[in-house]
Amino acid sequence: MNATKEPTFRESVDLMFNRAVALMDLPPGLEEKIRVCNATYTVRFGVRLRGQIHTFVGYRSVHSEHMEPVKGGIRYALAVNQDEVEALAALMTYKCALVEAPFGGSKGGLCVDPREWDEHEMERITRRFAYELAKRDLIHPSQNVPAPDMGTSEREMAWIADQYRRMNTTDINARACVTGKPLNAGGIAGRVEATGRGVQYALRDFFRHPEDIAAAGMEGTLDGKRVIVQGLGNVGFHAGKFLQEEDGARVTGIIEHDGALYNDEGLDVEAVRAWIIKHGGVTGFPDAAHTAEGNAVLEHDCDILIPAALEGVINMDNANRIKASLIIEAANGPVTAGADDILRKKGVVIIPDMYANAGGVTVSYFEWVKNLSHIRFGRMGRRQEEARHQLLIDELHKLDDHLGDAWTMSPDFKEEYLRGAGELELVRSGLDDTMRTAYRAMREVWHARDDVSDLRTAAYLVSIDKVAASYRALGL
Ligand code: NAD
């Protein structure tokens, strides 16, 4: 790899931002105000574990407060560092603007390998980290609302919410201090799979536009398309599973931390996930070829490549060998700015991270609203909706009797039509609408402007425009 030329994650985000603002007409100084990260807080704290004090380093970065609260996940990984957290916080600003979630951008991280500690130890580490952030309002329902990211899940979010509540016993909105919580701790139906579901909805909308399919040198629908997924964690697993089960895509490769599996006939995503949970990796999985050289499988022949693990995996070293004609960035920053240039010239279409993985923050937004309104979505209207549908069904029954064999209701129609929307249906509907609206805003810029040749630049243009409008309206 050419280490001198490959930009860091943070530099990549800035380079992509700069490419877009060069095409805009922003007032002097505003461009820099939007680009820079407002503040990054570093904390070092000790936790007594296994008979000695262990010191942990954590970060919470606030990129832009043009809207509050600011929002962004908390990542647990040994490689977490300030550069990475700031890049991720910047992406959150652009992502929230693009999908019209009314938040500024933030991100957090803790240098820890969750696999090294047992559950009880992780709880103590997480509560201590949450305490450090909450006492500085870096966790707060109206100022800063974290969510899960790599290495964290519902479990950590429940601990964080409880820690905040203990510190703020009279705050009636305490549960809105973090999203991605379990249902029984103030979470929302459909949040766990939201990011993967969003990837699916993004691809579905892409495949509704023949012009876009042609731009990627493809034809047809998602049915039968060969997909390679990197990272079968929360995002990669759900995206792969839904695309396989509901859209007929064929997952031919799965890349994990200990190598990759491939099978041209298709892999059973659910079975691979179960294997990983039981054995800690993909090694030994039957019914597929295995290679320890996981990243080599990124270069296998396929239609759609879904990097859903780490940043920088498609870089100047391997970009030229990537064979997929469509890449959807389920992870944040999987394609470096250098690789982006190479792939664009090759005609590969990239659905950018700030859009592709926005399903998580979209459903987090719904969860936050649910927590503030203290009522589950659908609770007021569902039965009333069903009663009104019943009226129509009763009339159709009369018609059915009257027309005899000439007309009859389709077998499942009555049952499906009668069912009012519960929280899960409403969340899916809101997510689908958000992903479609944002995709259409991006593709319009992509196709309408001669100086925009890719979806990423289009995404930046749409989102920076919205952030700039906020700053103009609110003042700095
Ligand atoms: P996760 O921890 O649930 O899963 C990550 C997976 O990647 C794990 O299965 C891990 O074993 C695997 N992995 C680790 N190193 C790897 C390597 N070198 N090669 C291949 N696989 C490797 O994390 P996640 O929540 O699914 O997040 C994945 C990506 O999606 C991250 O970039 C994250 O920022 C982004 N993202 C997540 C969410 C969310 O809601 N969880 C939302 C938006 C974006």
Side-chain angles (χ1 to χ4, degrees), residues 188-211:
I188 193 167
R191 174 60 183 92
V192 174
E193 68 268 31
T195 311
R197 185 66 80 187
V199 171
Q200 176 197 30
Y201 288 166
L203 281 172
R204 281 186 179 174
D205 212 41
F206 179 89
F207 277 93
R208 281 189 195 104
H209 297 94
E211 204 182 344

Side-chain angles (χ1 to χ4, degrees), residues 29-47:
L30 183 56
E31 164 188 332
E32 194 188 355
K33 173 68 206 89
I34 296 175
R35 182 175 47 76
V36 297
C37 200
N38 289 5
T40 301
Y41 172 69
T42 308
V43 58
R44 296 175 189 87
F45 58 89
V47 186

Side-chain angles (χ1 to χ4, degrees), residues 75 88 95 107 115 148-152 191 195 230-236 255-257 295 308-311 330-332 357 360:
R75 174 176 286 195
L88 291 165
K95 189 180 304 184
K107 202 80 180 194
R115 279 177 285 211
D149 193 73
M150 235 168 85
T152 57
R191 174 60 183 92
T195 311
Q230 183 190 38
L232 211 66
N234 178 309
V235 179
I255 308 164
E256 257 296 330
H257 66 96
N295 279 353
L310 312 166
E311 51 259 17
N332 283 305
N357 65 36

Side-chain angles (χ1 to χ4, degrees), residues 38 78 117 130 148 182 189 207 233 275 317 367 408 421 455 459:
N38 289 5
L78 280 178
W117 305 97
F207 277 93
W275 184 272
D317 189 40
E367 179 178 335
T408 187
L455 277 166

